[in-house]
């Protein structure tokens, strides 16, 4: 609804009360309504699901239209990210938020820091989604509040052209609210548990749920060892549970991202049920590391498979887990991906051990041979040593091309001694274009960094502590933080404004008129940053 239409509608409502509401100002109500566009998390989920669907179609038409996100572990971090994006690029188009289960475990659990093993409270995930959107909605209210102040100033100055321009800007305002891709881990239990948690996450505002094919009670970080996968049918029950949750809540465009950890997972807890040769369970079991046995060779408690008239004994570890054959990871990833898309998934996530475009593309080529519009969400993970990986990729390319690489030690390419070499410069260029290259060659629709703000918080705090508690004292803060905030236009340099003080002043004026005791007077020190 246009700003003026809000005013008209509220004016009519107030007039209809014939006196009791006469102290209510229609334009003030209109402002509050415009500043609070989204009333519930479900409204957000429906709105942002539409954005993702539109972006997916745009990517199908043009692979340069890929999307990006950064993982955020607090509402303030997500808010500042979107404020920065609007400041630098003028639009939030194709920029999302990622909610990392790893960061929830490490930073948001009442147990304290935990590893990424689904031990944190499942309620902490929807709580963070709600928190992220609370801060994004507040960013809208803050920015629009500033526009309304400018509108009042234009009216006071009698500047009709500026008044109209501001109202047009309000009517065409782009919200800070963007899609969140939210990590539901392995579902935190059975399919019913997955469904219940999915509902809470969607009600909080999530339009996209990312779920992985590990065993819930054995779940590991995708970049650690000891990962255990489940048979496809077990996983697909949880995919269907997520879809039922979306549909029950009326989010018909909800997005499901299915993640396969099979590339690095060499173990399974279960042998899949199979009734027909070549069915999905049989395909899963075909990757097991087995040995042929005769009935006389069988031991007490042995588990055996009957395949093509042969008895096969899967290798079972003391942990009671079964082992896959070496070298089957990529084949299992491809089967996982195709199966997921054929059973309701919208996007794929293949967790790899290194960022290598051709490795990813090799698997996606096979998936796309079956499902041509298959698309990836890809983890540009801080678990990768990007510098070393790409320098080694360039080293290998040089060597394959017959170039002299005698000046380089491949195992020590991380060294600062190589920073200015041609090899390092080319490696940095490949890192710079990795996302565009992956989008074009490997079907990557969405690039995200899972844990970036975990690392930036640690790095910036280390730099401040080193200077402030050292010889620089207060200059360590002023020179390296505040002065940069002022000169680079960082919004939160006015931290009172960022925390909502001006919004509160507006409300006080609406509620109390001239009797309002406002915080933004001449003695507010935030005026030093005007």
């Amino acid at each position: 609804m246009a700003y003026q239409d809000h005013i008209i509608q509220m004016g009519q409502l107030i007039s209809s009360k014939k006196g009791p509401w006469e102290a209510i100002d229609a334009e003030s109500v209109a402002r509050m309504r415009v500043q609070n566009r989204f009333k519930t998390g479900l409204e957000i989920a429906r709105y942002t699901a539409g954005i993702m669907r539109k972006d997916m179609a745009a990517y199908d038409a043009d692979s340069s239209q890929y999307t990006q996100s950064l993982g955020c572990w607090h509402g303030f971090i997500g808010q500042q990210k979107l404020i920065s994006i609007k400041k630098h690029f003028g639009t939030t188009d194709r920029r999302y938020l990622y909610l990392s289960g790893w960061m929830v475990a490490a930073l948001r659990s009442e147990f304290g820091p935990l590893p990424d093993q689904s031990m944190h409270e499942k309620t902490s995930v929807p709580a963070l989604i709600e928190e992220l959107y609370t801060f994004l909605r507040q960013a809208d209210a803050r920015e629009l509040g500033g526009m309304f102040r400018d509108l009042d100033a234009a009216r006071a100055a009698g500047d009709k052209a500026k008044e109209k321009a501001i109202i047009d800007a309000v009517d065409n305002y782009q919200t800070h609210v963007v899609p969140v891709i939210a990590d539901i881990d392995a579902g935190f239990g059975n399919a019913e548990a997955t469904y219940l948690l999915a509902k809470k996450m969607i009600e909080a505002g999530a339009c996209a749920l990312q779920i992985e094919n590990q065993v819930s009670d054995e779940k590991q970080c995708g970049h650690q060892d000891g990962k255990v996968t489940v048979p496809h049918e077990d996983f697909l029950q949880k995919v269907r549970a997520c879809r039922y949750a979306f549909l029950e809540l009326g989010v018909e465009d909800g997005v499901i991202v299915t993640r396969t950890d099979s590339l690095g997972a060499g173990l399974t807890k279960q042998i899949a049920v199979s009734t027909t040769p070549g069915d999905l369970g049989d395909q899963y079991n075909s990757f097991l590391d087995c040995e042929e046995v005769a009935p006389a060779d069988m031991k007490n408690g042995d588990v055996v498979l009957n395949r093509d008239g042969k008895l096969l004994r899967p290798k079972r570890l003391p942990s009671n887990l079964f082992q896959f054959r070496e070298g089957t990871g990529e084949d299992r990833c491809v089967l996982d991906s195709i199966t997921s898309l054929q059973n309701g998934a919208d996007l794929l996530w293949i967790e790899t051990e290194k960022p290598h475009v051709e490795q990813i593309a090799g698997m996606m080529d096979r998936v796309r041979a079956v499902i041509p519009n298959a698309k990836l969400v890809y983890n540009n993970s801080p678990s990768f040593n990007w510098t070393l990986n790409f320098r080694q990729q360039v080293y290998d390319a040089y060597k394959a091309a017959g170039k002299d690489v005698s000046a380089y030690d491949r195992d020590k390419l991380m060294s600062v001694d190589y920073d200015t070499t041609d090899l390092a410069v080319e490696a940095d260029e490949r890192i710079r274009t990795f996302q565009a290259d992956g989008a074009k060659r490997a079907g990557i629709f969405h690039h995200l960094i899972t844990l970036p703000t975990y690392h930036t918080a640690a790095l910036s705090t280390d730099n401040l502590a080193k200077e402030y508690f050292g010889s620089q004292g207060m200059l360590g803060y002023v020179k390296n933080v505040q002065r940069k905030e002022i000169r680079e236009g960082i919004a939160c340099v006015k931290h009172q404004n960022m925390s909502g003080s001006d919004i509160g002043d507006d409300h006080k004026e609406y509620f109390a008129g001239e009797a309002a005791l406002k915080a933004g007077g001449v003695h507010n020190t935030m005026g030093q940053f005007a």
Side-chain angles (χ1 to χ4, degrees), residues 188-377:
F188 286 87
N190 61 14
E192 176 69 7
T194 302
Y195 155 77
L196 293 171
L197 179 55
K199 281 184 61 176
K200 288 293 185 185
M201 293 169 70
I202 297 163
E203 287 170 340
C207 72
L209 304 179
Q210 169 229 322
I211 186 165
E212 60 202 62
N213 69 333
Q214 291 193 50
V215 177
S216 292
D217 56 357
E218 300 282 353
K219 184 252 188 294
Q220 290 276 17
C221 171
H223 291 286
Q224 291 187 312
D225 205 356
K227 293 183 289 297
V228 182
T229 63
V230 297
H232 292 91
E233 274 303 329
D234 296 55
F235 182 60
L236 295 177
Q237 291 176 25
K238 296 184 178 182
V239 174
R240 288 191 285 270
C242 291
R243 182 63 66 203
Y244 272 104
F246 274 125
L247 294 176
E248 177 185 340
L249 296 172
V251 185
E252 296 176 5
D253 282 341
V255 176
I256 298 175
V257 183
T258 51
R259 171 176 140 181
T260 172
D261 281 283
S262 291
L263 194 62
L267 302 170
T268 184
K269 198 167 189 177
Q270 298 162 273
I271 294 175
V273 174
S274 172
T275 58
T276 306
D279 65 13
L280 200 51
D282 192 39
Q283 291 179 68
Y284 186 81
N285 294 338
S286 71
F287 296 114
L288 292 170
D289 188 359
C290 300
E291 61 178 342
E292 186 175 351
V293 294
D297 298 327
M298 292 172 59
K299 301 174 184 176
N300 186 59
D302 269 355
V303 173
V304 295
L305 299 174
N306 176 13
R307 180 178 295 126
D308 299 328
K310 298 177 181 178
L311 290 180
L312 301 176
R313 179 168 54 201
K315 184 173 183 180
R316 185 161 58 173
L317 305 180
S319 59
N320 203 32
L321 299 173
F322 296 94
Q323 186 169 298
F324 290 114
R325 296 194 315 277
E326 287 281 344
T328 63
E330 288 202 6
D331 290 339
R332 286 183 280 125
C333 280
V334 171
L335 180 61
D336 294 343
S337 299
I338 292 171
T339 301
S340 293
L341 292 174
Q342 289 174 335
N343 287 271
D346 301 292
L347 296 169
L348 302 172
W349 174 319
I350 298 175
E351 194 78 323
T352 67
E353 83 289 357
K354 61 181 178 295
H356 194 293
V357 170
E358 285 304 317
Q359 178 199 29
I360 304 161
M363 289 183 279
M364 282 302 289
D365 286 345
R366 295 171 62 187
V367 175
R368 286 184 148 187
V370 180
I371 303 173
N373 69 338
K375 291 178 283 295
L376 269 181
V377 172

Side-chain angles (χ1 to χ4, degrees), residues 88-124:
H88 291 296
F89 305 104
T91 179
T92 61
D93 289 354
R94 306 200 315 276
R95 279 92 175 191
Y96 304 167
L97 289 175
Y98 179 65
L99 185 153
S100 160
W102 191 101
M103 285 205 284
V104 173
L107 299 169
R108 302 300 302 253
S109 172
E110 293 185 10
F111 293 108
L114 293 172
D116 183 19
Q117 296 172 355
S118 292
M119 294 188 290
H120 53 282
E121 310 88 340
K122 63 172 70 176
T123 53
S124 59

Side-chain angles (χ1 to χ4, degrees), residues 28-39:
S28 297
V29 177
R31 291 181 177 187
M32 294 174 79
R33 290 179 66 157
V34 169
Q35 286 174 294
N36 186 28
R37 171 180 172 180
F38 300 100
K39 307 303 186 288

